[in-house]
């Protein structure tokens, strides 16, 4: 028989004795109080609520006497316990001696106290099974789940965090030994104990009085205090028995009825497995109350469909110092649902979102629970604008902590042995977009109506000269050599610093000439597009001889061309594409008629009117297309993205011919507004881009607020 089974058997034997020998109804006031406790803990749903509450009362007692011994062994002035001891006098003294809130009397104590001390002999014996056990912390949670049927735990959204997940989250969130840390919804104390261990392995001294936790259940406070003490923690933690949503931190107004005199300070780390209760599980009164609290804190409306963990995200953020870290494990549904738009918006506004790890349902996280868990890693904003890269991970199996830390750190990308990793600049994330699509490398195939770019365009690299400082000329150099413009074409030499979404002859190209940029390219083709081989222009002849003298004729490319000075033939492309970027690829409307070097890709379109080209550009510059392009291309160290012409040819795009006149006109108008905003310092380009994104989504996914692709169901 296992020790865990021994513990449960001892609890059930004593509970059966209590159930037979106590008459709860003899004291109407206590009976009412106990009924309220059972209702608040979901026990009214179970088959034998009275038997279950008796078992929990025994479990509560077992934990308290275990905790008592741990404090006594640590040197506290506590007398030894025996079956003849006045137990509750000892526990009252322990509360005063240790200041540990777990020793406070609760309704479960009142249930057992009248029965007599002799029934505690089996529990006194059983407590030794919890002490000095390697898995004792996990065991506390397992015993609780064995005693409380799942229908009651589901009512409260209570699902125990496995130790390996708890350690993974805590190791990321806790940065220093002296961090103030919080577990909102402490439950069985697994996360709290993991954070305390993480503090000890971090630099600096760790103290138990830096541990904070809040839970509505007194039993959770007892479980967590015992679990923490089992890690040999010195001192007493700060655990508060209260509704977390109505608990305030320093700097916030305090409720008159706040049950704990200790006001939690601002935290350096918050790690949580919040309640998963759905909106319909909450009373209308409670739903309205917490909704008001969260809306005031978030500064926005929150859907009445939001589950409890939405509110925990918002409220926990109020407890966090700037630069502090937060790790949550929740269902992944908020990534894709319409009611999750508000939460996604809140996270984007208040955090650097370092990572979101979606765990496959087959990974043993929550037993007998049909959900795909998501671990979210957040850091409270220090600056208003985030430069963070967000890593999305789909883990089909648990690879261990280190590979996932590497992924969240931005060191790996693409298909992995355990799943898939994708990194996206946070500024490109749209709250209206279905974020699970960032995790699925094949999801773009499911977008209806898109086709490969190659079907409507010819895509090539820009011109490779072999010696750019010879072939690219300023206006001063053209004048110095007296070159005729018939041997030159307008050029965009460098892409750095180009923020416009369309290039114009007067505002861009001629300004480059005035600024002394190399805005001309030597281009020796005649009117029929044939290379010029018979040179009868003395100025051109002199410049070509200069090229032979300074080595321009000796480059690898020049030696493989006939004649050497005739570069690749290119017309001016309709669209120019930046092919390497951290922030996203840019698709530029080439209205200036310039050619480019191979630092830009060239997109040649034929047969499209200006409105249709602009509609295509609206799509190409949207966050939707950029997310797809990044997955189509390659990612290098620290989030640098690159896409090659062949990869660009396969990019799924919207064919302007497939758009209605109204759709094409609307997209064209939005793109022109973005172009104008990029040239006007008084206009907000980001706001215009957001509107462009919304219009693109509306066209791709008409009538829906999110890009609702058929990968996972949504509410």
């Amino acid at each position: 028989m296992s020790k865990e089974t021994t513990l449960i058997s001892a609890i059930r034997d004593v509970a059966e004795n209590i159930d037979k020998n106590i008459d709860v109804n003899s004291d109407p006031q206590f009976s009412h109080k106990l009924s309220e406790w059972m209702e608040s803990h979901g026990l009214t749903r179970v088959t034998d609520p009275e038997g279950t509450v008796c078992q929990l009362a025994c479990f509560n007692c077992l934990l308290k006497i275990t905790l008592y011994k741990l404090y006594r062994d640590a040197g506290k002035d506590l007398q030894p316990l025996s079956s003849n001891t006045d137990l509750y006098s000892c526990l009252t003294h322990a509360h005063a001696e240790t200041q540990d809130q777990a020793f406070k009397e609760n309704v479960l104590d009142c249930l057992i106290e009248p029965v007599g001390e002799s029934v505690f002999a089996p529990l006194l014996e059983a407590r030794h099974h919890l002490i000095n056990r390697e898995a004792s912390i996990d065991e506390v949670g397992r015993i609780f789940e064995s005693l409380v049927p799942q229908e009651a735990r589901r009512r409260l959204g209570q699902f125990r965090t496995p130790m390996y997940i708890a350690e993974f989250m805590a190791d990321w969130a806790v940065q220093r030994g002296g961090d103030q840390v919080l577990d909102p919804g402490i439950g069985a104390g697994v996360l709290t104990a993991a954070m305390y261990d993480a503090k000890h392995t971090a630099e600096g001294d760790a103290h138990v009085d830096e541990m904070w936790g809040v839970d509505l259940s007194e039993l959770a406070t007892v479980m967590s205090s015992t679990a923490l003490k089992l890690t040999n923690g010195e001192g007493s933690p700060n655990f508060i028995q209260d509704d977390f949503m109505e608990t305030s931190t320093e700097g916030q107004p305090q409720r008159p009825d706040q049950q704990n005199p200790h006001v939690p300070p601002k935290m350096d780390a918050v790690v949580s497995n919040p309640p998963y209760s759905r909106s319909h599980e909450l009373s209308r009164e409670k739903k309205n109350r917490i909704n008001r609290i969260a809306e005031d804190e978030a500064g926005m409306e929150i859907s009445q469909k939001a589950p409890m963990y939405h509110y925990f995200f918002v409220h926990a953020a109020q407890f966090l110092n700037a630069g502090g870290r937060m790790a949550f494990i929740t269902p992944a549904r908020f990534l894709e649902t319409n009611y999750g738009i508000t939460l996604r918006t809140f996270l984007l506004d208040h955090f650097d979102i370092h990572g979101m790890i979606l765990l496959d349902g087959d990974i043993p996280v929550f037993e007998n629970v049909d959900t795909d868990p998501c671990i979210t890693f957040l850091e409270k904003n220090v600056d208003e604008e985030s430069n963070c890269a967000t890593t999305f991970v789909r883990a089909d199996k648990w690879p261990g902590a280190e590979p996932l830390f590497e992924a969240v750190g931005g060191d790996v990308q693409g298909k992995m042995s355990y799943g898939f990793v994708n990194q996206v600049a946070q500024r490109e994330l749209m709250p209206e977009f279905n974020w699970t699509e960032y995790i699925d490398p094949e999801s773009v195939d499911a977008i209806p109506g898109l086709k490969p770019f190659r079907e409507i365009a010819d895509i090539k690299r820009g011109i490779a000269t072999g010696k750019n400082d010879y072939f690219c000329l300023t206006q001063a150099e053209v004048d110095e050599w007296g070159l005729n413009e018939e041997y030159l074409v307008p050029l965009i030499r460098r892409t750095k610093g180009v923020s416009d979404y369309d290039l114009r002859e007067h505002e861009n190209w001629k300004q480059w000439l005035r600024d002394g940029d190399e805005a001309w390219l030597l281009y020796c083709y005649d009117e029929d597009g044939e290379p010029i081989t018979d040179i009868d222009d003395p100025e051109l002849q002199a410049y070509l001889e200069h090229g032979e003298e300074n080595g321009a004729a000796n480059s690898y490319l020049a030696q493989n061309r006939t004649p050497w000075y005739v570069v690749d033939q290119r017309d001016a492309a309709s669209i120019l594409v930046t092919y390497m970027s951290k922030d996203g690829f840019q698709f530029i409307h080439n209205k200036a008629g310039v050619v480019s070097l191979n630092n830009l890709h060239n997109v040649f379109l034929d047969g499209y009117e200006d409105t249709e080209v602009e509609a295509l550009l609206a799509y190409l510059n949207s966050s939707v297309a950029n997310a797809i392009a990044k997955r189509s291309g390659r990612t290098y160290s620290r989030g640098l993205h690159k896409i090659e012409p062949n990869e660009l040819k396969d990019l799924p795009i919207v064919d302007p011919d497939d758009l209605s006149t109204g759709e094409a006109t609307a997209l064209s108008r939005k793109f022109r507004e973005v172009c104008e905003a990029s040239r006007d310092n008084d206009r907000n380009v980001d706001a215009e881009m957001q509107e462009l994104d919304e219009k693109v989504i509306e066209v791709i996914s008409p009538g829906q607020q999110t890009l609702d692709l058929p990968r996972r169901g949504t509410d």
Side-chain angles (χ1 to χ4, degrees):
M1 180 180 293
S2 71
K3 292 181 179 180
E4 182 181 327
T5 303
T6 301
L7 287 166
I8 294 172
S9 298
I11 290 169
R12 286 178 172 158
D13 288 345
V14 175
E16 186 177 355
N17 191 337
I18 294 172
D19 200 13
K20 290 178 180 177
N21 291 283
I22 192 169
D23 182 9
V24 173
N25 296 322
S26 63
D27 183 346
Q29 186 175 359
F30 175 67
S31 177
H32 177 70
K33 187 176 180 180
L34 183 62
S35 295
E36 285 185 335
W37 194 93
M38 293 167 65
E39 171 66 29
S40 69
H41 287 71
L43 298 185
T44 54
R45 293 189 173 194
V46 306
T47 304
D48 181 15
E50 292 80 10
T52 301
V53 78
C54 286
Q55 291 182 26
L56 289 178
C58 292
F59 181 44
N60 171 68
C61 180
L62 171 63
L63 293 174
K64 286 192 172 186
I65 61 178
T66 300
L67 187 61
Y68 185 97
K69 177 171 174 53
L70 292 170
Y71 271 111
R72 186 172 185 274
D73 291 346
K76 289 297 182 181
D77 183 17
L78 304 175
Q79 72 176 76
L81 296 180
S82 70
S83 59
N84 297 319
T85 304
D86 183 350
L87 176 64
Y88 290 96
S89 294
C90 291
L91 295 180
T92 300
H93 175 67
H95 181 218
E97 175 74 12
T98 67
Q99 297 300 306
D100 193 321
Q101 300 300 309
F103 288 121
K104 285 182 64 176
E105 185 174 84
N106 62 46
V107 67
L108 296 177
D109 296 326
C110 298
L111 183 63
I112 290 183
E113 190 172 3
V115 178
E117 286 79 7
S118 61
V119 300
F120 300 124
L123 297 181
L124 285 169
E125 176 64 28
R127 69 177 175 171
H128 297 291
H129 294 311
L130 275 180
I131 298 173
N132 299 323
R133 285 285 313 285
E134 187 175 326
S136 55
I137 296 171
D138 235 2
E139 203 162 278
V140 171
R142 284 199 298 270
I143 293 171
F144 175 75
E145 290 188 347
S146 297
L147 299 176
V148 181
Q150 190 176 35
E151 57 264 34
R153 287 183 281 112
R154 187 180 295 277
R155 159 73 172 78
L156 301 178
Q158 295 176 333
F159 303 101
R160 180 171 55 90
T161 312
M163 182 56 72
Y164 71 95
I165 297 287
E167 291 172 346
F168 174 55
M169 295 168 65
D171 286 346
W172 185 86
V174 176
Q175 302 175 78
R176 295 165 295 274
D179 279 355
Q180 296 280 349
V181 302
L182 170 69
D183 179 358
I186 49 182
V190 175
L191 286 172
T192 301
M195 281 194 285
Y196 189 59
D197 284 344
K199 280 165 61 66
H200 273 289
T201 58
E203 184 176 350
D205 295 332
H207 302 283
V208 171
D209 60 8
E210 296 154 349
M211 309 296 299
W212 292 81
V214 183
D215 204 291
L216 196 56
S217 171
E218 308 97 317
L219 182 56
T221 302
V222 178
M223 286 193 292
S224 196
S225 282
T226 307
L228 186 58
K229 201 64 180 175
L230 285 165
T231 67
N232 299 314
E234 296 180 2
S236 300
N238 301 285
F239 291 152
I240 300 171
Q241 188 264 310
D242 203 356
D243 186 336
F244 173 65
M245 287 302 302
E246 298 189 20
T247 302
S248 303
T249 184
E250 61 184 21
Q252 289 185 309
Q254 302 298 305
R255 290 191 352 251
D257 61 338
Q258 186 117 350
Q259 297 184 28
N260 194 291
H262 301 296
V263 177
K266 293 289 187 179
M267 301 292 162
D268 301 301
V270 178
V271 179
S272 181
N273 174 3
Y276 294 179
S277 309
R278 296 193 175 207
S279 57
H280 63 267
E281 296 284 6
L282 304 175
S283 69
R284 181 180 295 275
E285 179 184 0
K286 181 169 185 177
K287 181 73 174 181
N288 290 338
R289 187 170 70 252
I290 65 174
N291 209 76
R292 285 194 301 271
I293 293 170
E295 286 187 341
D296 287 345
E297 293 173 341
M300 62 183 72
E301 292 186 4
I302 297 177
S303 170
Q304 289 286 334
K305 292 183 178 180
M308 180 63 82
Y309 64 84
H310 280 222
Y311 300 110
F312 267 58
F313 266 114
V314 173
H315 193 53
Q318 316 310 311
F319 287 71
L320 203 59
N321 283 315
R325 288 185 167 189
M326 199 157 86
F328 268 50
I329 182 167
T330 67
R333 301 184 72 79
F334 78 92
L335 298 175
E336 58 188 354
T337 55
N338 287 340
Y339 65 65
I341 292 175
T342 301
L343 179 56
R344 299 195 291 272
T345 301
F346 178 80
L347 297 183
L348 288 171
D349 289 346
H350 293 85
F351 292 97
D352 288 343
I353 306 174
H354 285 272
M356 292 187 161
I357 300 176
L358 186 65
L359 303 177
D360 188 87
D362 292 335
I363 297 176
V365 179
F366 301 125
E367 188 176 354
N368 300 320
V369 178
D370 184 17
T371 186
D372 287 339
C374 177
I375 303 175
T376 303
F377 291 130
L378 307 168
E379 185 172 340
K380 189 76 173 288
N381 279 349
V382 176
D383 301 319
E384 288 188 7
E385 184 173 348
S386 173
N387 294 314
C388 181
T390 301
T391 300
F392 292 89
V393 179
R394 190 197 68 238
D396 301 324
K397 59 183 179 181
W398 182 255
E402 285 306 315
L404 295 178
F405 281 138
E406 288 180 7
V408 173
D411 296 330
V412 296
Q413 178 119 345
K415 291 184 179 180
M416 300 290 152
S417 60
Y418 57 83
F420 179 75
V421 179
N422 183 35
Q423 194 174 78
V424 182
Q426 181 171 323
R427 66 173 63 94
E428 294 181 10
L429 298 179
M430 297 183 298
E432 298 85 3
F433 191 69
N434 178 354
W435 286 9
T436 61
E437 302 310 319
Y438 293 119
I439 305 174
D440 194 334
E442 299 176 354
S443 63
V444 298
D445 298 333
I447 302 177
L450 302 188
K451 60 181 61 173
F453 210 167
R454 67 171 73 244
E455 291 190 14
I456 71 165
D458 189 13
I459 300 172
K460 299 179 180 180
R461 298 182 190 276
I463 297 170
T465 68
K467 192 172 178 60
N468 288 341
D469 59 0
Y470 171 79
F471 284 93
C472 304
L473 298 97
T474 66
Q475 184 63 54
E477 289 172 322
V478 170
D479 294 341
E480 177 186 352
W481 289 94
L483 295 175
N484 193 312
E485 291 185 10
E486 68 178 288
Y487 307 121
L488 305 168
V489 290
L491 170 73
I492 176 172
R493 174 71 167 89
R494 295 180 177 86
T495 60
K496 187 176 182 180
V498 176
S499 59
D500 299 324
Y501 288 86
D502 63 345
L503 295 181
R504 304 175 188 179
E505 181 179 0
H506 292 284
E507 289 129 301
N508 294 106
W509 182 69
K510 288 194 173 180
Q511 184 61 49
W512 301 335
L513 287 179
R514 291 190 290 271
D515 291 343
D517 293 340
E518 296 171 330
W520 289 108
L521 177 72
L522 185 65
Y523 193 77
C524 297
Y525 287 89
D526 62 23
E527 293 180 354
D528 297 324
E530 296 296 326
I532 298 173
T533 55
D534 296 327
I535 307 299
D536 58 4
D537 185 304
E539 286 79 10
L540 176 60
Q541 183 65 45
Y543 192 68
L544 295 179
E545 290 173 357
H546 169 65
E548 291 171 348
E549 291 170 359
N550 74 5
N554 298 325
S555 71
Y556 173 80
L557 289 176
Q559 290 179 349
N560 286 275
R561 294 191 298 242
T562 303
W564 68 266
Y565 53 82
V566 177
V567 299
D568 295 338
Q569 186 176 23
R570 292 282 191 279
D571 293 328
S574 306
I575 298 171
L576 300 171
V577 187
T578 60
Y579 70 90
M580 184 172 282
S581 172
K582 281 189 175 182
D583 301 328
F585 306 109
Q586 190 171 350
F587 294 79
I588 303 166
H589 194 188
N590 185 15
K591 295 164 68 175
V594 296
V595 299
S596 80
L597 303 181
N598 57 0
N599 55 351
L600 290 167
H601 294 332
N602 292 193
V603 177
F604 300 91
L605 299 170
D606 188 25
Y608 290 105
E609 298 178 355
D610 285 347
T611 297
E612 294 172 321
V613 174
E614 290 167 343
L616 174 62
L617 282 159
Y619 167 79
L620 290 171
N621 283 291
S622 70
S623 295
V624 177
N626 254 289
I628 297 171
K630 285 180 179 180
R631 280 175 275 170
S632 301
R634 310 168 194 185
T635 301
Y636 295 85
S637 62
R638 297 300 172 189
L640 185 64
H641 300 279
K642 182 179 181 181
I643 192 166
E644 299 290 358
N646 285 338
E647 295 162 342
L648 193 57
K649 290 175 183 178
D650 292 328
L651 179 73
I653 56 89
V654 173
D655 185 345
D657 280 343
D658 295 336
L659 300 175
S660 68
T661 301
E663 289 171 334
T665 300
L667 289 177
S668 170
R669 184 183 301 115
K670 284 298 176 188
F671 177 71
R672 290 199 302 271
E673 289 172 358
V674 167
C675 292
E676 294 303 327
S678 71
R679 296 175 181 276
D680 187 344
N681 293 331
D682 295 329
R683 292 181 64 177
N684 188 332
V685 179
D686 290 340
E688 297 292 348
M689 289 299 296
Q690 178 68 31
E691 292 184 10
L692 181 146
D693 287 337
E694 293 169 358
K695 181 57 65 176
V696 167
I697 291 174
E698 181 182 320
V699 170
I700 293 176
S701 192
Q704 300 185 36
Q705 288 181 281
T706 60
L707 203 65
D708 189 13
L709 307 183
R711 280 290 172 184
R712 293 181 180 87
T714 61
D715 282 354

